[in-house]
Structure formats: C-alpha cells, structure tokens
Amino acid sequence: MLNTLQTNASYLEQVKRERGDPQAQLEAMQGFLERSGLKVEDLDRLNIIHVTGTKGKGSACAFTECILRSYGLKTGFYSSPHLVQVRERIRINGQPISKDLFNKYFWLVYNRLEETKDPVHASMPAYFRFLTIMAFHVFLQEKVDLAVVEVGIGGTYDCTNIIRAPVVCGVSSLGIDHTSILGDTMEKIAWQKGGIFKPGVPAFTVAQPERPLEVLKERAQERKCPLYLCPELDDFEEGCRALELGLAGAHQRSNAALALQLARTWLQRRGCQGLGELKEVPPSPELVGRPVPLAPAFRLTVPRVPPGLRDTEWLGRTQVLSHGPVTWYLDGAHTTSSIQACVRWFRQAALNQDKPHDGSEVRVLLFNATGDRDTAALLKLLVPCHFDYAVFCPNFTEVSVANNADQQNFNVTLENALTRCLENQRTWTRLLEEKVGQDPLLPSPLPLVLVPPAPRPLNSPALVFPCLAQALRWVAQGRDPQLAAPAASGAHPHPVASSGAVLLREAAAVRVLVTGSLHLVGGALRLLDPALSQ
C-alpha cells in the first residue's frame, strides 16, 4: 500500500510541476498533516534539529543523534532514502522502528487520510510526504525527547519545512545535485537550502565556497536567523588527542564538527549540561574574512562525547565489508565532489589493507547512477583508480523484485535502467580510450598514496548485468560466503566475463568499490549482509 503512493522519481516530477508555488506545496503538506490528526503546532513539541545540505547531511544527522543519545536522551531520527528496509527512515534511539510499530503507525495514518477524503481533498500524499507525516506521529506518540530531521530535497520547498520552530538548524556541505528541481548553480542551490532558516533559531554551516556562503548569509538575514560557520574539527582537538570517528574518510570531519555545534546548541537551548567549556581558538586561516561569523570552538570536557562520535554508524557511507578474499567498499556517493571524496577514501583504505604476498590483486568497480546526474563526469573521476573491471547494473537486486517490496520502484523499468547501464558501459570504454591519465582529485591535507601503487594498465573491460545479484555473484565467483556461485547456465555472453572469472577465482585479493547511487549500495548491502533484512 505504501508503494502505491509512488516512489522518489514521481515525487520529484510532482515537485517540479509545483515548484512555481512553494507556498501551495507547504499548504498542501499542512492539509495532509491536519487530515492525519496533527496540527503544525504539535511539531513544536518534538524539539527538532533540522538539517539540510547536498553532501553529508545524513552523516551529520547520524553523528548528532548518536552524541545526544549518549546523554541518555530518547532520540528520534528521520532520514532518507532507506538502503535495505523502509523502516530505516524512522528510527528511535538509533534503531529502525520494529515491523509491528511500522505497521501500527502506517495504518493509523493511512486510514485517517482515507477517511478524510472528500471532493476537495481527494488525494493521498505521495510516498515521501506520507512517511514524513508518519514519522511525526511516531515521534510524538512514542514521546521522544528530540527529533533529528533530515531534509529530503532542497529546503524551501521540502515537505519537512512545515516545521515552524526547530531548536537549531544545520547546513552540511553544498554541491550540485537535483539540478532540475533546485537549480543548476551553487548559488541557486544555497538559496533553496537556506529556506529552512527560522526567525531567532540559530543555524550552523560548514566551510562553503564564497558565493554560496554569501547566499546563505542573505537568506539568514531575510529570515532573521543567526547563522554561524563551524570551526574545523582540528580546533576541537587542540590540546587533546585526535577524535576518533565511527565514519571513515577525511570528509566526515566537517560533518562531525557540524554535529558538535548542533548537539551543543540543542543542549544549551534545552537547559541541559553542555558538551564542554568554550575556549578561544584562533580560527583556521582559510575561515578568516568569511562573511559569516565563526562559531566558537569548545574544549570537549564531557567524557561521553568522544564515544558518541566514535560509535556513530551510518550504513553505505565509506563502509568496508571483508568477506574472506573479497573486500567490498561501499559508498553511496553520487555527486562529483562526493565521488572525489570517495576515491580519496577508497585509495587510502585499499592501500591500508594487507597486500597479498604474490601481488595478485584484482580491483573491480560496480557502478550505477540515477536521475539527472552527469554519469560521464562521475566515471571520469573513477578512472585513475585503475580498476581491472568495471561492472554496471541497475539497482534491482533481482530481475524480478516481486518478493522484495522495500526495494520496488514503480517509476523505473528494467528496460530504461539497462539502457542507462549500456550508456555507462560505452562512456567508460570511451574514457579509457581517451587515456584520461591525469589525476582529477582535489588537493587533500593527507597524502593520497603513502607508497606509489604498482603500475596498472589503463585497460578495464566493462560488463553489464541485468541485476545486482548476478553482478555480485560474478565478481565474487563463489568466494564470498554470503553469495552463491554464479550459475553455469546462462553465463554472461561477453568473452571478458569468462576470462575475468578465472582471474577473480585465482586472485589472492579482490577489492570491489560499489558507488554512484545509495540505492545501488542498499541493494548490495541487502545481498551481502542478510541480517539487515531481518
């Protein structure tokens, strides 16, 4: 029944149609909320932390929730998309709500909306709007102390923006994504993100390019919202040992710094003990002269905060699964800057793994991208990783997904998805033929490679599979205990598939980067870690 309310792709189409009148969208959302039995004022009781951004907003939310949970507070956390099960979107104390609770609140909200239909209000809310309303019901009735709410897309027009009085707001790193809805420049996107600012409610952002930061400042002034720039995590570590983060990758440090400010401000405004005492820290040189005042760093004097950062889990982001000789590196990066960060992380993480004695290591890219993303630009950034094989497949776990309602998408046909994969295959082959040898990675404070990698030929045959299960089985060749061996019958027709199968079976180590789409990563996780489906 939930899936009949449409999934993400058609919701995006609906937003595109309605975006000329954002007020009408929010009024429609308010109407659905009231038909479900809640008023907008009821949401004020949730003590909300509202977070937007292009990259890292989910990770920043996860860090924030984990820090505040370490204080013994009962936390709610609403995020999207889900990776394996839809229940992941609505969490209490860090855990997806149970099937029983999901069932209870789904029918409570669905039936109320069904009963209140009339000629004027004949419709049901779309998938994301419905789950947002349902999350508010869950958090209110289960009496959470606070709710961390991640924006779906943008900010101004997003249905979470019916929240009137959050305790604090956050904006993670900005980038180019969802251009058909949010605009095709960083400034337009910054304008959208700044739409969550509320009068008198403090907001924090991480270091941003100059013009988008100016736009955020203008939006904050319009909305009479005090906006601050987060200091870097290094400033919190001054005079004490480095903070250990539960999420890998240098790019997670800015998400953790944002989380520290959000958590501290929430505790202060709710009259709770803070995270630590303020200290005067000279700001990092690159933050001097920015148009937004710098929030003060503070000495972390509360012993439970570092474990909160260390214990944060956020599946499908810089995640490593070691399954015998096959190591899976999963990251849902899907914008150019997040793919750059993913490549830095993968090269560093793969380098830190023990090298096989005989040197026989095979590297595989498993990639898909959805929506209006420029896949050629994303794939170009992945070429310097020197993969031995590139594998493309749709986000479907099986060719038939009838038995897996959590991952059904009625808006993408197998034919359309495979056409996209074949285009990606041609793009990859063309990029290799052009011998794109230069390294496109952004400067990094850490050396990307501590020892020079063994030279690899720039030759990476590309294969397309009709579903994730077949792609993963071919890569693993029966060497991952979670995956069956590939079927002998109906073998892949491409001649590289059989020669590659021999190399994959004989290699001492197989390293697989799965990236380009959170939905792809979610499907892979479902197959690689069956416990997540329980």
Side-chain angles (χ1 to χ4, degrees):
M1 288 305 293
L2 173 65
N3 285 346
T4 65
L5 301 176
Q6 312 156 35
T7 45
N8 193 42
S10 58
Y11 172 66
L12 298 187
E13 286 303 317
Q14 182 181 345
V15 171
K16 285 179 211 170
R17 287 195 303 273
E18 296 175 357
R19 71 170 181 256
D21 189 355
Q23 201 51 43
Q25 288 184 55
L26 293 178
E27 284 168 10
M29 181 64 183
Q30 189 171 331
F32 289 129
L33 186 75
E34 288 172 359
R35 280 171 53 197
S36 79
L38 291 179
K39 291 188 168 63
V40 175
E41 306 88 80
D42 294 329
L43 307 184
D44 299 351
R45 306 203 309 270
L46 288 176
N47 303 316
I48 288 170
I49 298 172
H50 201 191
V51 182
T52 188
T54 308
K55 310 180 301 290
K57 63 182 184 291
S59 300
C61 286
F63 279 126
T64 306
E65 184 277 330
C66 200
I67 293 168
L68 291 171
R69 180 162 29 102
S70 73
Y71 273 71
L73 294 161
K74 185 173 183 178
T75 61
F77 178 12
Y78 178 60
S79 65
S80 60
H82 63 275
L83 293 179
V84 179
Q85 297 196 69
V86 68
R87 298 182 290 110
E88 297 163 27
R89 294 177 183 235
I90 304 173
R91 295 171 183 260
I92 291 179
N93 287 335
Q95 294 300 311
I97 59 173
S98 68
K99 288 186 177 181
D100 286 345
L101 268 191
F102 190 93
N103 195 39
K104 170 185 167 182
Y105 287 108
F106 174 85
W107 289 113
L108 175 111
V109 174
Y110 190 92
N111 289 336
R112 283 185 183 170
L113 289 165
E114 193 68 43
E115 288 158 9
T116 51
K117 279 184 176 178
D118 59 37
V120 181
H121 306 103
S123 63
M124 293 286 277
Y127 186 92
F128 183 75
R129 286 179 177 179
F130 181 93
L131 287 170
T132 305
I133 293 166
M134 183 174 149
F136 291 146
H137 277 271
V138 171
F139 296 153
L140 283 163
Q141 292 204 33
E142 297 299 314
K143 296 184 168 49
V144 298
D145 295 314
L146 69 124
V148 180
V149 177
E150 179 192 358
V151 165
I153 291 170
T156 303
Y157 306 162
D158 190 70
C159 66
T160 63
N161 208 27
I162 58 168
I163 296 164
R164 305 180 318 165
V167 176
V168 61
C169 294
V171 182
S172 69
S173 185
L174 297 179
I176 301 287
D177 198 16
H178 297 298
T179 51
S180 56
I181 293 170
L182 305 179
D184 55 3
T185 67
M186 293 270 278
E187 290 80 4
K188 289 176 183 174
I189 288 168
W191 188 91
Q192 295 278 358
K193 305 293 182 185
I196 71 165
F197 296 156
K198 301 294 186 297
V201 175
F204 295 88
T205 187
V206 299
Q208 310 282 10
E210 190 174 348
R211 270 301 298 146
L213 189 60
E214 285 278 3
V215 173
L216 286 178
K217 179 188 177 185
E218 288 160 13
R219 291 289 268 160
Q221 287 172 339
E222 273 171 33
R223 293 171 165 262
K224 299 181 172 52
C225 157
L227 175 66
Y228 302 96
L229 193 59
C230 291
E232 294 179 351
L233 202 61
D234 303 16
D235 295 335
F236 293 95
E237 294 171 333
E238 198 175 274
C240 60
R241 68 166 180 249
L243 290 164
E244 190 182 337
L245 304 184
L247 305 181
H251 56 290
Q252 292 293 358
R253 290 177 64 80
S254 71
N255 299 326
L258 176 58
L260 286 171
Q261 295 290 352
L262 295 175
R264 178 176 185 274
T265 304
W266 189 94
L267 289 164
Q268 271 189 330
R269 298 196 79 206
R270 299 301 305 156
C272 305
Q273 177 194 7
L275 298 189
E277 63 192 46
L278 289 177
K279 61 173 183 174
E280 288 300 317
V281 176
S284 308
E286 55 269 37
L287 298 181
V288 173
R290 291 297 180 103
V292 172
L294 193 65
F298 45 89
R299 204 179 304 280
L300 293 170
T301 54
V302 180
R304 59 173 75 96
V305 175
L309 291 171
R310 187 191 62 224
D311 297 342
T312 300
E313 291 181 349
W314 198 225
L315 296 183
R317 286 78 169 179
T318 60
Q319 182 179 0
V320 181
L321 294 176
S322 296
H323 291 185
V326 186
T327 306
W328 305 91
Y329 300 83
L330 302 122
D331 191 70
H334 51 269
T335 67
T336 51
S337 46
S338 58
I339 288 281
Q340 285 169 327
C342 169
V343 167
R344 279 197 292 270
W345 162 73
F346 171 69
R347 291 174 74 164
Q348 195 70 51
L351 189 76
N352 289 340
Q353 296 276 331
D354 292 335
K355 287 283 171 285
H357 296 304
D358 64 358
S360 63
E361 175 182 301
V362 176
R363 286 188 183 183
V364 182
L365 170 66
L366 177 55
F367 180 92
N368 192 36
T370 59
D372 51 12
R373 297 182 177 98
D374 181 354
T375 48
L378 303 183
L379 288 170
K380 186 173 182 177
L381 296 169
L382 290 158
V383 168
C385 290
H386 297 287
F387 293 103
D388 298 289
Y389 297 96
V391 174
F392 302 97
C393 72
N395 296 339
F396 305 123
T397 47
E398 305 279 354
V399 175
S400 166
V401 291
N403 62 344
N404 180 18
D406 285 283
Q407 305 210 317
Q408 278 181 325
N409 185 339
F410 295 154
N411 299 283
V412 179
T413 66
L414 180 60
E415 187 180 1
N416 290 347
L418 279 173
T419 301
R420 183 85 179 253
C421 293
L422 291 164
E423 288 169 3
N424 292 340
Q425 181 189 37
R426 285 192 291 273
T427 300
W428 182 257
T429 304
R430 175 176 57 78
L431 287 169
L432 293 179
E433 285 169 354
E434 291 170 1
K435 294 280 189 285
V436 185
Q438 72 274 25
D439 196 332
L441 298 176
L442 295 176
S444 169
L446 293 169
L448 286 172
V449 181
L450 303 176
V451 294
R456 286 169 171 263
L458 207 60
N459 173 32
S460 177
L463 299 171
V464 172
F465 288 86
C467 67
L468 259 165
Q470 289 188 31
L472 295 181
R473 285 181 202 133
W474 180 80
V475 171
Q477 289 295 319
R479 304 177 75 191
D480 183 325
Q482 299 294 354
L483 298 169
S489 60
H492 197 292
H494 198 298
V496 164
S498 51
S499 60
V502 175
L503 280 177
L504 289 162
R505 278 197 295 272
E506 294 178 352
V510 178
R511 309 203 191 285
V512 192
L513 175 62
V514 184
T515 193
S517 162
L518 270 170
H519 301 285
L520 178 78
V521 166
L525 272 173
R526 180 174 182 269
L527 297 166
L528 295 170
D529 189 353
L532 293 173
S533 299
Q534 302 309 310

